[in-house]
């Protein structure tokens, strides 16, 4: 097992899902509640990584980060080095790549919060921002957890974007999926099999937790309703 | 005036709502009455700031409110289904708008008698309890005006009567003016000092509830209030499950509501009154009041017969009956109706 790749992957997935929580909550709020008529265009952009080949996404991210782009240049003058083929660059790419996995479940959960609770909070003198944290997020925690875990799990398994943007630098940008590819290229099938099996099991366990958790929340609520009826 | 609201709200391709309300200082409650879709809730939401006005203005205690956000308006808004936060216990619900100040929570919980419910979840409360908790939550912020949106419609019929008189008692005791939206005429008579009748986005009539009920100025108001006869009556005696009331110069029997009160509004629907020429011997109806016909007018497929039986009583009869009985102005008749057709609403409620 390539423990260095395991560490890189976990570090990348953790950084990605934490950043996605920070930018995913406001983006999801906007997606759920904005009445802007062109909102659907933003929703389509957020969903793009679901359908675009990772190589296409990676290609554009690479262009945007490169020394030819104003974005890349300003980062380089600020940090002293470019974003491509660094861990930071990889995090930026992963955040974009996993954005829909965080935003879609969270926005769906926000959107299903009954509007009367939000208005009740306003009528009790509580600001929009505070209402968000005291009413909307607590009533959406299953969706928020799902978004967090799915973006973590999705980052664990990304390949195309990582290869395009991060390259294959041991200890920096070589993640598990790239490690598997290398092992297969080097005909080391038993090594590839062990790493693959581990990714399979970890992904399955994570998804089982997400789905089981959502179901349990649902059962818990139904149980409370039931007890009241009796 | 505490509140001057001239509301003009147009929905894109939807209804147009225009209403003016005046709420005086002091503890009076104003009923916003009308059928569903009349625009009552929209008016309430505009006052609350939950809807933007298309035109018009809202002045609260002299302050221009039109662009003040809902958070900055000292209002207590009771939502139709009470909107208790399901993820918070009763205690946190009541303390929600006052940073969970324990002294405030304790005080309003005591006032609304929800002390023993503080550690429960909203889903564990009955409808009546939910209403009291929602009121406690609203009162914790010491609002200057209460807005109650259909406060009784979420309750089943069995608890509604009880909660209604509880609410009436509470509203009188609080000393805070209130606007109550309802489409139920019993609510209007029980809870209101003033009444504003709306239909299809317009205000049709304004006045004290009993006056609006007895003297509707529009056909729509009469249709909206639905009860032809509403008069004051006083219980003379009670016997065998019946209350004998004096109404005007007449006496009538009603099912005894089993309350201590003696002063009631006597409500009789026109369809429940039959008109006869002589005293009907076979009839099981308790009330046979003699009187004369004051007026006869068509009312849809029926005919409205106004009788003077010691008070003004309205009967709705078929055209055939009008012809058979030769009902014309001045004719001597008997008005016949069952004791169970008389609905009594306590005045003190």
């Amino acid at each position: 097992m390539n423990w260095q790749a395991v560490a890189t992957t976990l570090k990348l997935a953790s950084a990605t899902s934490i950043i996605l929580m920070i930018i995913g909550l406001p983006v999801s709020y906007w997606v759920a509640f904005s009445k802007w008529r062109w909102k659907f265009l933003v929703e389509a952009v957020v969903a793009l990584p679901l359908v675009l080949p990772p190589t296409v996404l990676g290609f554009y991210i690479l262009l945007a980060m490169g020394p030819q782009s104003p974005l890349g240049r300003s980062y380089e003058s600020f940090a002293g080095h470019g974003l491509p083929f660094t861990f930071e660059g990889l995090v930026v790419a992963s955040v974009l790549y996993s954005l829909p996995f965080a935003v879609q479940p969270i926005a769906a959960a926000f959107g299903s919060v009954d509007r009367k609770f939000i208005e009740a909070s306003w009528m009790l003198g509580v600001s929009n921002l505070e209402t968000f944290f005291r009413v909307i997020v607590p009533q959406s925690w299953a969706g928020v957890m799902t978004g967090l875990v799915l973006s973590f799990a999705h980052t664990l398994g990304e390949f195309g974007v990582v290869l395009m943007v991060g390259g294959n630098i041991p200890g920096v940008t070589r993640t598990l999926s790239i490690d598997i590819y290398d092992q297969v290229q080097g005909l080391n099938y038993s090594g590839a099999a062990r790493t693959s099996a581990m990714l399979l099991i970890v992904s399955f366990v994570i998804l089982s937790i997400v789905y089981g958790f959502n179901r349990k929340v649902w059962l818990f609520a139904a149980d409370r309703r039931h007890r009241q009826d009796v | 005036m505490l509140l001057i609201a001239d509301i003009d709200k147009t929905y894109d391709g939807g209804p147009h709502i225009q209403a003016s309300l005046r709420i005086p200082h002091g503890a009076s409650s104003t009923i916003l009455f009308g059928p569903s879709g009349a625009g009552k809730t929209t008016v309430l939401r505009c006052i609350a700031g939950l809807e933007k006005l298309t035109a018009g203005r809202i002045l609260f205690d002299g302050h221009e409110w039109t662009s003040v956000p809902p958070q900055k308006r000292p209002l207590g808004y009771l939502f139709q289904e009470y909107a208790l936060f399901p993820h918070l216990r009763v205690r946190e619900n009541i303390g929600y708008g006052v940073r969970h100040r324990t002294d405030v929570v304790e005080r309003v919980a005591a006032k609304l008698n929800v002390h023993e419910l503080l550690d429960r979840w909203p889903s564990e409360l009955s409808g009546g309890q939910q209403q009291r908790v929602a009121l406690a939550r609203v009162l914790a912020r010491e609002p200057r005006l209460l807005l109650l949106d259909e406060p009784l419609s979420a309750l089943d019929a069995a608890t509604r009567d009880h909660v209604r008189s509880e609410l009436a008692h509470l509203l009188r005791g609080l000393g805070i003016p209130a606007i109550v939206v309802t489409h139920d005429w019993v609510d209007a008579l029980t809870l209101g000092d003033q009444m504003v009748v709306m239909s299809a986005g317009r205000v049709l009539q304004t006045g004290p509830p009993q006056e609006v009920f007895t003297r509707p100025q529009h056909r729509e108001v009469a249709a909206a209030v639905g009860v032809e006869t509403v008069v004051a009556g006083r219980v003379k005696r009670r016997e065998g499950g019946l209350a004998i009331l004096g109404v005007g110069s007449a006496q009538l029997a009603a099912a005894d509501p089993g309350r201590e009160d003696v002063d009631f509004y006597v409500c009789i629907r026109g369809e429940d009154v039959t008109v006869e020429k002589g005293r009907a011997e076979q009839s099981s109806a308790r009330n046979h009041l003699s009187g004369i016909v004051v007026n006869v007018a068509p009312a849809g497929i029926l005919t409205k017969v106004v009788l003077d039986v010691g008070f003004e009583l309205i009967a709705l009869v078929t055209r055939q009956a009008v012809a058979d009985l030769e009902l014309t102005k001045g004719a001597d008749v008997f008005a016949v109706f069952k004791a169970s057709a008389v609905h009594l609403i306590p005045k003190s409620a």
Side-chain angles (χ1 to χ4, degrees), chain A residues 35 113-141 220-221 223-229, chain B residues 45 48-50 70-73 75-77 79 81-88 92-93 95-100 121-126 130 137-138 141 147:
Chain A
K35 288 182 180 136
V113 172
D114 195 327
R115 193 161 176 84
K116 72 183 177 209
F117 296 126
I118 297 167
E119 292 180 342
S121 171
W122 293 346
M123 291 317 298
L124 292 165
V126 173
S127 70
N128 284 353
L129 183 68
E130 223 183 303
T131 298
F132 177 69
F133 286 111
R134 292 176 68 187
V135 173
I136 298 174
V137 171
Q139 291 196 34
S140 312
W141 62 304
F220 180 57
D223 178 52
R224 287 236 306 263
R225 267 198 301 279
H226 176 70
R227 270 193 284 129
Q228 195 205 347
D229 288 348
Chain B
R45 291 174 60 83
L50 296 172
Q71 286 93 339
K72 302 271 183 239
R73 305 184 183 200
L75 299 172
Y77 197 117
F79 287 81
E81 314 271 334
Y82 311 134
L84 295 177
F85 302 123
H87 62 290
L88 300 177
E92 287 94 46
N93 260 287
Y96 184 85
V98 291
R99 313 231 153 257
H100 303 292
W121 294 99
S123 60
E124 296 167 338
L125 305 179
S126 72
Q130 283 184 37
R137 183 174 74 174
V138 153
R141 289 187 69 231
L147 306 176

Side-chain angles (χ1 to χ4, degrees), chain B residues 1-4 57-68 72-74 144:
Chain B
M1 286 288 155
L2 177 64
L3 177 77
I4 297 174
R57 57 167 195 169
I58 294 173
L59 280 182
F60 187 85
D61 209 4
H63 297 285
E64 173 64 46
W65 249 16
T66 313
S67 55
V68 172
K72 302 271 183 239
R73 305 184 183 200
R144 296 184 57 200

Side-chain angles (χ1 to χ4, degrees), chain A residues 73-131:
Chain A
R73 271 201 307 276
S74 53
Y75 181 83
E76 204 165 334
S77 65
F78 165 73
H81 60 85
L83 268 176
F85 312 114
T86 62
F87 183 76
E88 293 84 348
L90 205 50
V91 170
V92 172
S94 298
V95 164
L96 291 173
Y97 184 48
S98 291
L99 191 62
F101 289 85
V103 168
Q104 289 190 342
I106 298 174
F110 287 174
S112 66
V113 172
D114 195 327
R115 193 161 176 84
K116 72 183 177 209
F117 296 126
I118 297 167
E119 292 180 342
S121 171
W122 293 346
M123 291 317 298
L124 292 165
V126 173
S127 70
N128 284 353
L129 183 68
E130 223 183 303
T131 298

Side-chain angles (χ1 to χ4, degrees), chain A residues 5-17 87 152 156 176 202:
Chain A
V6 171
T8 303
T9 305
L10 288 179
K11 213 168 87 182
L12 178 64
S14 308
T16 302
S17 39
F87 183 76
F152 184 88
L156 282 188
L176 278 175
V202 168

Side-chain angles (χ1 to χ4, degrees), chain B residues 45-289:
Chain B
R45 291 174 60 83
C46 285
I47 295 171
L50 296 172
E51 301 280 348
K52 281 200 169 67
L53 298 183
T54 314
R57 57 167 195 169
I58 294 173
L59 280 182
F60 187 85
D61 209 4
H63 297 285
E64 173 64 46
W65 249 16
T66 313
S67 55
V68 172
Q71 286 93 339
K72 302 271 183 239
R73 305 184 183 200
L75 299 172
Y77 197 117
L78 189 75
F79 287 81
Q80 193 169 356
E81 314 271 334
Y82 311 134
L84 295 177
F85 302 123
H87 62 290
L88 300 177
R89 287 175 194 269
V90 168
R91 185 188 304 279
E92 287 94 46
N93 260 287
I94 295 177
Y96 184 85
V98 291
R99 313 231 153 257
H100 303 292
R101 278 179 48 195
T102 322
D103 54 326
V104 178
V105 173
E106 298 281 329
R107 195 184 69 233
V108 290
K111 187 185 261 173
L112 282 144
N113 195 23
V114 292
H115 238 282
E116 72 280 17
L117 306 175
L118 283 176
D119 291 316
R120 302 238 196 121
W121 294 99
S123 60
E124 296 167 338
L125 305 179
S126 72
Q129 290 171 331
Q130 283 184 37
Q131 193 201 56
R132 272 186 285 148
V133 171
L135 269 170
R137 183 174 74 174
V138 153
L139 292 174
R141 289 187 69 231
E142 301 184 354
R144 296 184 57 200
L145 173 65
L146 289 173
L147 306 176
L148 280 59
D149 189 5
E150 303 266 7
L152 299 157
S153 67
L155 305 172
D156 55 78
T159 50
R160 192 175 304 149
D161 286 339
H162 173 66
V163 175
R164 185 188 295 116
S165 34
E166 229 179 50
L167 183 63
H169 183 74
L170 188 78
L171 282 181
R172 298 227 156 113
L174 284 175
I176 305 172
I179 302 176
V180 185
V181 163
T182 183
H183 62 263
D184 185 321
W185 57 277
V186 182
D187 292 355
L189 279 173
T190 313
L191 301 173
D193 301 308
Q194 279 292 312
M195 185 163 166
V196 175
V197 183
M198 288 187 71
S199 181
R202 294 283 180 287
V203 172
L204 297 177
Q205 190 172 346
T206 303
Q210 204 196 343
E211 188 188 300
V212 173
F213 278 104
T214 42
R215 285 191 286 279
Q217 289 165 359
H218 296 261
R219 227 179 40 196
E220 289 101 318
V221 178
V225 300
V227 179
E228 284 75 16
T229 303
V230 179
V231 286
R234 174 173 266 257
V235 172
K236 294 245 163 105
R237 59 183 195 278
R238 296 166 198 262
E239 53 186 37
L242 291 176
I244 310 299
L245 294 104
V247 181
S249 62
Q251 278 201 10
L252 55 79
D256 190 344
R259 296 176 57 112
E260 294 301 301
D261 306 70
V262 290
D263 285 308
F264 289 93
Y265 291 119
V266 176
C267 308
I268 305 167
R269 289 185 165 266
E271 301 92 312
D272 293 333
V273 180
T274 53
V275 181
E276 295 177 3
K277 269 282 163 153
R279 185 175 278 269
E281 300 301 333
Q282 276 87 0
S283 170
S284 66
R286 286 277 168 183
N287 294 300
H288 298 253
L289 305 180

